[in-house]
Amino acid sequence: MKTPRIANAIGQIDDDLVADAAKCKKKNKKHWLKWGSLAACFAVIVIVGAAILPSLFRENVTPEGTDGRYKDFSIQASESAIVWPWEYQTVYEKYRNVEIDGIEYHGKGRAVSEAWIGERIGNYTVVGYDEVNNGKKYSAEFEAYALKDIAQSQFIAVKMEDSYYVFQNDEYAPPNTLGELMDVVNLSEVVELQRFSEGDNSPDSKHFALSSDDYVWEVLSECRNAPFVEDQTWTVGDRSYLSFTITSEALGVYKVALYVTEDGYLWTNAFNWQYLFNIGEDAASRIIHYAKENSTEVEYEPYRNSVAGTIIKITEEYILVDDSILCKNPADGITYKVLLNDLRISRYVDYGIVKVGDTVQISYEGEIDETSGNTIAGAISAFKATISDGDVLIPE
């Protein structure tokens, strides 16, 4: 059995960025602001205050009658991405590169629903590399499709194992204006601007939900001539701004960012690279004013839902995780049933990375089914953790 290698990766980045970590030493892009490789090459410690612990554990760890059951501690985590052996990778982790009509596309590692699928382009050879086995090359033939509201020159979808996955043109070729971007990507259709914060998207910021983003896109449609700013040193810094959180199936991105600054800039990392446009102070002011006047304050939403606790049982179908170790009164502990119905979680058990008696942090998608014994059907990772001085630590 091959031993999986460990790569460190930044928390709160898209899944496809993590897969690029193993390629960082081999791939030196001219433009250092590509988010797909830059972010995945670094590790970070995320420190979360005890006051927002219930928000971090989005399964509502304080159900009726157990408010305040957790101890007063913070969570410190260094998220580790594992480069798995070929046989333990999902199909979209395996096959990541395809060339069509002279354009090289790279898999985003995210599925897109059939509603976004356009015309069939044809059958093409998709290539993958086994990083554990000296970069051994594999290839397979899959069907490629256009995506609705997006030019084929920018994004496509590839059908693998009855699901569609987003692939993006991997070349750095930013538009000259915001209008050029709008011509190849129908932004108002593929991007929903709903949740935003004043300033950085941290637990300490104020967070809001926009009632409708129609006016924002109306203003931006008037900014078609806004020039692209080629400034690799640009940062939001001390500027006053709104930070919108973007999730787009069609673009294959999950909780990336779009900033609108008071001094007239529009910034986003939704296209892997830094895209910066000068939309002008007037347009920016109108967007910011509208957002503040047409939104309601909401709680902070973490990048990914998690539960933490001790593994008390492992079967072929599930893991039982008891969070009593985190509680003021162990009797208030909740046992979560984590289904092993997905390769992304079952491989942690198969490889012995987590075992009975380990304290772990389980990340998951979707919601917890409280009516079925607190069942988690969408688990995707299980990182080992330790309890030390009131903190939950995930070793790097």
Side-chain angles (χ1 to χ4, degrees), residues 168-311:
Q168 180 178 1
N169 185 335
D170 205 30
E171 181 184 4
Y172 178 76
N176 293 311
T177 64
L178 181 59
E180 285 190 13
L181 178 60
M182 290 179 169
D183 287 339
V184 293
V185 179
N186 188 351
L187 293 176
S188 62
E189 291 297 323
V190 303
V191 173
E192 181 180 11
L193 300 176
Q194 185 186 39
R195 294 184 66 95
F196 68 92
S197 59
E198 293 182 346
D200 67 307
N201 183 31
S202 69
D204 295 329
S205 301
K206 289 186 176 181
H207 301 268
F208 302 88
L210 193 62
S211 57
S212 169
D213 64 357
D214 290 347
Y215 179 75
V216 177
W217 292 116
E218 181 182 327
V219 173
L220 291 177
S221 69
E222 299 170 4
C223 301
R224 290 182 56 85
N225 293 326
F228 178 86
V229 180
E230 183 71 79
D231 182 2
Q232 296 183 354
T233 65
W234 191 93
T235 62
V236 72
D238 294 329
R239 291 177 169 88
S240 178
Y241 66 101
L242 298 187
S243 174
F244 289 90
T245 299
I246 298 174
T247 292
S248 171
E249 274 192 48
L251 297 182
V253 293
Y254 174 74
K255 292 189 178 179
V256 294
L258 182 145
Y259 301 155
V260 177
T261 70
E262 279 193 356
D263 59 346
Y265 289 98
L266 175 73
W267 177 99
T268 184
N269 61 346
F271 298 91
N272 278 2
W273 311 86
Q274 169 175 285
Y275 274 17
L276 178 66
F277 299 93
N278 188 346
I279 62 174
E281 292 185 13
D282 178 66
S285 175
R286 290 161 61 193
I287 291 172
I288 292 172
H289 176 76
Y290 171 82
K292 289 182 177 180
E293 293 296 319
N294 294 273
S295 60
T296 55
E297 190 165 358
V298 293
E299 290 186 0
Y300 168 73
E301 183 177 82
Y303 177 75
R304 181 166 289 139
N305 302 334
S306 301
V307 294
T310 304
I311 296 179

Side-chain angles (χ1 to χ4, degrees), residues 378-392:
I380 57 177
S381 66
F383 295 116
K384 193 177 296 185
T386 60
I387 303 294
S388 176
D389 296 328
D391 294 337
V392 178

Side-chain angles (χ1 to χ4, degrees), residues 5 15 51 87 90 130 141 176 203 228 272 296 300 324 340 346:
R5 295 189 287 110
D15 289 343
E87 61 270 25
T90 63
D130 184 354
E141 189 172 282
N176 293 311
F228 178 86
N272 278 2
T296 55
Y300 168 73
S324 299
L340 299 175
S346 63

Side-chain angles (χ1 to χ4, degrees), residues 14 17 31 49-50 76 92 142 155 173 218 248 256 287 336 349:
D14 204 356
L17 308 189
H31 298 274
Q76 300 178 1
Y92 60 83
F142 298 104
F155 291 82
E218 181 182 327
S248 171
V256 294
I287 291 172
Y336 299 96
V349 173

